[in-house]
Amino acid sequence: MSDKATNYQCPSCTGPLHYDGAAGRLQCDYCGSSFDPAEIEKLYAEKEQQAASQPETGSDTGEWQSSADEDWGTDADKMRVYSCPSCGAQLICEETTAATSCPYCGNPTVIPEQFSGILKPDYILPFKLSKEDAVSALKQHYKGKLLLPTLFRDNNHIEELRGIYVPFWLFDGGAEGAASYRASNTNVFETGDYEITETRHYHVVRAGSLAFEKIPVDASSKMPDDHMDSIEPFDFSSAVDFQTAYLSGYLADRYDVNADDSIGRANERVKKSTESVFAATVAGYHTVVPESSSVRLTNGRVRYALYPVWLLNTVWNGKTFSFAMNGQTGKFVGDLPVDKGKKWRWFGLVSGIAAAA
């Protein structure tokens, strides 16, 4: 079956539509009209039904048709070629690409077949924050970084800024376990001419069971796991049933890491969270040393969702620095370069103050 893609166009003027997270609606770039995503989904579903009922005429349907270049060899299995219905340009995309835009005419395009059948996500968490919010967050990220090169902060240019819906597996499950700790309390008191130190030792045991819901594990091999983990949490209460109209104006990939291969990461998170909960209840002691822990995991339901992420890349001295921002909450992570001159001057200043003290 060939892949087909859809340009979501304004019913009023046929201009391109993109999803505006702040407004929570699809906005027209030309006439300014706005529409509820469900309204546009219904309109396009009706168009598809009408098109399906019509006999083939060989005319241009306004959809992208996929074809593979036989000369690509083994790489053809991982790539797709599309023809833009707006300007006719040929675009080459990875096989997992589900939403993109034409670099020639800029029209946002969605490939519904990438999210059909068993590939269809259960939920989508729409973007709330804009590209401008991401740029502002990057500049805020610079503040207070004493060792950041001045030229990097003042003159660096963002090479790439992408709003992308990242595929996530959401795991429900449970854990039963037990943990033991060595704890102690020390009391110092005086009696007569003596100062006495009294230390009491305790063997502390904790056991119980916990339930977990919607543990997120990113399902894209292209996304850095540390960045995806660091921008959590996402507020799932804002999630809606999946509709492709929310993708318009953003990039999106379907998963390329399946649920079975993601279970290990989910289980490790459950195990660490369970141990952390147990440890948090061991209070009222001066020292606490973990001795042993045992956690038994029970796997439950798994669901598929798309979460909003802004990805930013900037280049400094030939090296690329990548940043990620939660497209819902604004939580921002990323590494920054260090000015070695500032580093040694700061080290010398601290050392001098310490020596003087």
Side-chain angles (χ1 to χ4, degrees):
M1 179 189 298
S2 64
D3 294 329
K4 296 180 180 180
T6 301
N7 288 128
Y8 284 101
Q9 298 177 333
C10 175
S12 301
C13 71
T14 71
L17 294 174
H18 71 275
Y19 181 75
D20 186 322
R25 295 172 66 83
L26 287 164
Q27 303 277 12
C28 176
D29 296 333
Y30 294 158
C31 71
S33 299
S34 67
F35 306 89
D36 183 84
E39 179 184 0
I40 296 299
E41 283 279 350
K42 181 180 179 181
L43 176 64
Y44 271 74
E46 292 173 351
K47 286 184 177 181
E48 288 181 4
Q49 290 178 355
Q50 292 174 1
S53 64
Q54 297 296 322
E56 293 288 341
T57 63
S59 61
D60 184 7
T61 62
E63 296 177 329
W64 289 12
Q65 301 295 329
S66 170
S67 62
D69 189 335
E70 295 179 357
D71 294 335
W72 293 354
T74 57
D75 290 338
D77 293 336
K78 299 180 180 179
M79 306 300 292
R80 297 290 183 270
V81 179
Y82 303 99
S83 178
C84 176
S86 297
C87 70
Q90 277 200 332
L91 310 177
I92 301 175
C93 302
E94 295 184 8
E95 63 175 347
T96 57
T97 299
T100 185
S101 62
C102 176
Y104 301 98
C105 67
N107 280 331
T109 304
V110 177
I111 306 170
E113 278 77 6
Q114 293 284 34
F115 291 133
S116 62
I118 62 173
L119 298 175
K120 182 180 179 180
D122 298 295
Y123 307 102
I124 185 170
L125 193 59
F127 273 88
K128 284 190 175 181
L129 301 177
S130 67
K131 179 184 295 186
E132 291 73 23
D133 293 324
V135 173
S136 177
L138 177 63
K139 294 178 179 179
Q140 187 68 29
H141 189 60
Y142 296 161
K143 292 185 177 180
K145 306 299 191 297
L146 299 178
L147 302 182
L148 185 68
T150 302
L151 289 177
F152 178 88
R153 182 184 63 245
D154 295 340
N155 299 327
N156 87 91
H157 300 284
I158 297 174
E159 301 295 330
E160 190 175 17
L161 174 56
R162 298 174 293 160
I164 182 169
Y165 281 104
V166 178
F168 274 81
W169 294 115
L170 307 180
F171 292 89
D172 293 347
E176 296 180 356
S180 63
Y181 309 84
R182 285 186 290 110
S184 67
N185 278 330
T186 300
N187 182 35
V188 178
F189 60 93
E190 294 182 358
T191 176
D193 295 332
Y194 298 96
E195 182 180 86
I196 299 175
T197 299
E198 178 187 64
T199 302
R200 296 186 177 186
H201 298 275
Y202 304 88
H203 178 64
V204 183
V205 176
R206 293 290 186 267
S209 61
L210 294 91
F212 294 86
E213 289 187 352
K214 303 179 184 67
I215 303 167
V217 176
D218 72 273
S220 172
S221 61
K222 291 177 285 187
M223 295 296 110
D225 292 342
D226 55 345
H227 279 22
M228 294 302 100
D229 291 346
S230 298
I231 61 174
E232 293 180 19
F234 291 88
D235 181 7
F236 187 81
S237 65
S238 298
V240 297
D241 292 340
F242 176 75
Q243 297 179 58
T244 55
Y246 285 101
L247 305 179
S248 188
Y250 299 94
L251 303 178
D253 280 351
R254 63 172 171 82
Y255 69 84
D256 62 357
V257 179
N258 62 41
D260 289 341
D261 292 336
S262 302
I263 289 176
R265 284 184 62 198
N267 286 345
E268 183 63 22
R269 298 186 69 172
V270 170
K271 182 175 183 294
K272 289 183 177 180
S273 295
T274 301
E275 291 174 341
S276 178
V277 170
F278 286 163
T281 67
V282 185
Y285 302 99
H286 292 159
T287 65
V288 176
V289 178
E291 280 189 321
S292 64
S293 68
S294 175
V295 178
R296 185 175 67 86
L297 306 174
T298 56
N299 296 325
R301 184 180 180 186
V302 58
R303 284 165 284 191
Y304 178 27
L306 299 182
Y307 279 1
V309 177
W310 283 104
L311 296 178
L312 303 87
N313 290 325
T314 187
V315 177
W316 171 253
N317 287 344
K319 183 178 179 181
T320 299
F321 293 86
S322 298
F323 308 89
M325 187 182 87
N326 186 314
Q328 180 196 37
T329 68
K331 188 174 182 181
F332 195 97
V333 298
D335 298 324
L336 292 170
V338 172
D339 186 321
K340 293 183 179 180
K342 286 185 177 181
K343 176 182 177 181
W344 288 112
R345 288 194 296 272
W346 181 256
F347 177 78
L349 177 61
V350 173
S351 299
I353 293 175

